[in-house]
Amino acid sequence: MNTPFLSVRDLRVHFSTEDGVVKAVDGLSFDLAEGRTLGIVGESGSGKSVTNLAILGLHDRDHTAVDGEILLDGKDLLTATERQLERLRGSTMSMIFQDALASLSPFHTIGKQIGETYRKHTGASRPAARSRAVEMLRRVGIPQPDLRVDDYPHQFSGGMRQRAMIAMALVCDPRLLIADEPTTALDVTVQAQIMDLLKDLQQEFGTAIVFITHDLGVISHVADEVLVMYGGRCVERGTRSEVLRTPQHPYTWGLLGSMPSLDGPVDVPLSPIPGLPPSLLNPPSGCRFHPRCAFVAKVPAGLCVTDSPELRVTAGRGAACHLTAGQRREFFTDYATPQPN
Ligand code: SF4
């Protein structure tokens, strides 16, 4: 098997707070090959964004302990210096965040911001950087890019700003792109356009993408593989089709039950997962999902409350749950056919 381009092993990200240690990520492992998209899905506070800040080396170093291993093309990012990381950010690895307006400076033109990123990493001249900015704006579908390159961010619509941020993220042909909820603030039509654009650009550039979202509907459009996070841990992983069609974990069932189905009957009520995400300061004992799980009583000897289920992964597929394979098949079939009103 080829060495993965991005390999994360037993990643732990713990924050020191006045109230104690928050275990935001607690033993996460995954691989990602070039040209593939990994979707990381989970509710707020599940650890998905923290994972990616750790990969980028953007965590608060004074209050955060990061352990484990993050290899990017064989280089260990956790032992890299700040200077080395800075060289990698924007060139080999790049990122897009949810809020383009907050990520773009209001004081500089779009073209200058894209061009400066290019100059910083390639040493290109100003005219060459400007041409590159125009070219990137054209590639992400901004009309009249040779004119709009001199606009300021406030002169762009929300969807155009997001495209401009994608142009900035891809200006140095990064091999890894981390997209953190990049379409959440956009309306559904623009969301779909941005996801199509990312797919097209991925084909063109061969970029590996980590796509973070709380929305399984978005995952179904972009991801090749899916990792479901809950309470700082991976609870399920597999290909997109495996996780969406034959999910193995009650939390994934809950996420699916709480999203509208485009091809299902319109009168099927959505059922949000009851309860709240766990405290990562004092996580629940045993399975972290147990206070919200409807299947605790199906597992003998109170195991869900006392023993943390192990994530066993075979050929990239696995789920961390004490239910037997037969029980999962039976319960998911029941769960997947809610009765209309
Ligand atoms: Fe639910 Fe128990 Fe499985 Fe956790 S281990 S998801 S509590 S059945």
Side-chain angles (χ1 to χ4, degrees):
M1 189 186 147
N2 293 338
T3 310
F5 181 59
L6 174 67
S7 171
V8 173
R9 287 283 162 275
D10 200 23
L11 180 68
R12 287 166 205 275
V13 185
H14 295 179
F15 306 126
S16 308
T17 70
E18 285 180 359
D19 297 316
V21 175
V22 174
K23 296 181 178 175
V25 179
D26 208 17
L28 184 69
S29 301
F30 63 84
D31 292 330
L32 179 61
E34 285 196 283
R36 304 281 291 174
T37 300
L38 171 73
I40 302 186
V41 67
E43 293 163 292
S44 300
S46 59
K48 51 194 196 312
S49 294
V50 174
T51 299
N52 289 292
L53 289 178
I55 294 171
L56 294 162
L58 290 175
H59 51 279
D60 171 358
R61 283 161 193 270
D62 292 337
H63 301 99
T64 312
V66 182
D67 288 307
E69 191 177 66
I70 302 175
L71 298 180
L72 184 72
D73 203 16
K75 288 185 211 75
D76 189 349
L77 299 186
L78 292 188
T79 56
T81 62
E82 184 46 43
R83 214 188 147 121
Q84 289 168 325
L85 285 172
E86 203 161 317
R87 263 205 302 272
L88 288 172
R89 283 194 296 263
S91 56
T92 307
M93 56 184 183
S94 197
M95 60 244 136
I96 314 170
F97 295 112
Q98 179 179 337
D99 188 353
L101 199 53
S103 305
L104 293 167
S105 163
F107 306 114
H108 300 289
T109 64
I110 297 281
K112 174 147 178 137
Q113 296 184 59
I114 298 173
E116 282 305 310
T117 304
Y118 189 59
R119 268 164 58 76
K120 181 175 163 193
H121 292 285
T122 63
S125 65
R126 281 185 205 283
R130 182 187 161 86
S131 305
R132 176 73 173 170
V134 172
E135 181 199 341
M136 290 308 296
L137 289 178
R138 183 184 51 73
R139 275 184 171 169
V140 298
I142 300 288
Q144 298 183 293
D146 45 340
L147 298 178
R148 304 305 300 258
V149 72
D150 294 320
D151 282 358
Y152 287 85
H154 72 269
Q155 294 172 285
F156 273 31
S157 67
M160 282 167 68
R161 279 197 292 268
Q162 207 63 12
R163 284 168 188 264
M165 194 159 59
I166 293 171
M168 191 151 79
L170 296 179
V171 70
C172 295
D173 295 344
R175 294 168 69 197
L176 172 68
L177 177 69
I178 293 182
D180 192 346
E181 304 269 11
T183 59
T184 304
L186 304 172
D187 70 48
V188 181
T189 315
V190 183
Q191 263 190 22
Q193 289 170 356
I194 297 284
M195 287 189 287
D196 287 346
L197 171 66
L198 281 175
K199 274 197 277 191
D200 290 348
L201 294 172
Q202 181 178 45
Q203 283 195 343
E204 190 181 337
F205 294 99
T207 321
I209 300 180
V210 178
F211 197 104
I212 303 168
T213 178
H214 63 280
D215 185 345
L216 270 177
V218 169
I219 287 289
S220 70
H221 284 98
V222 295
D224 299 304
E225 283 123 54
V226 179
L227 190 156
V228 183
M229 284 192 79
Y230 187 79
R233 292 179 176 163
C234 172
V235 294
E236 175 158 10
R237 55 185 277 194
T239 63
R240 172 183 58 188
S241 150
E242 287 167 339
V243 172
L244 295 182
R245 288 177 190 274
T246 54
Q248 302 280 304
H249 195 281
Y251 177 60
T252 317
W253 303 345
L255 287 178
L256 282 167
S258 61
M259 72 180 237
S261 163
L262 286 179
D263 48 9
V266 289
D267 53 353
V268 173
L270 301 180
S271 18
I273 305 172
L276 293 171
S279 154
L280 297 176
L281 201 54
N282 292 303
S285 61
C287 173
R288 291 186 175 180
F289 188 55
H290 88 253
R292 303 171 76 185
C293 182
F295 302 95
V296 174
K298 304 288 183 187
V299 176
L303 214 57
C304 295
V305 181
T306 57
D307 284 32
S308 177
E310 217 181 293
L311 177 70
R312 290 197 191 86
V313 179
T314 310
R317 179 77 177 119
C321 176
H322 292 306
L323 292 171
T324 63
Q327 283 178 313
R328 291 179 203 175
R329 271 194 301 277
E330 179 191 341
F331 299 145
F332 178 60
T333 309
D334 289 352
Y335 195 85
T337 52
Q339 295 306 303
N341 279 330

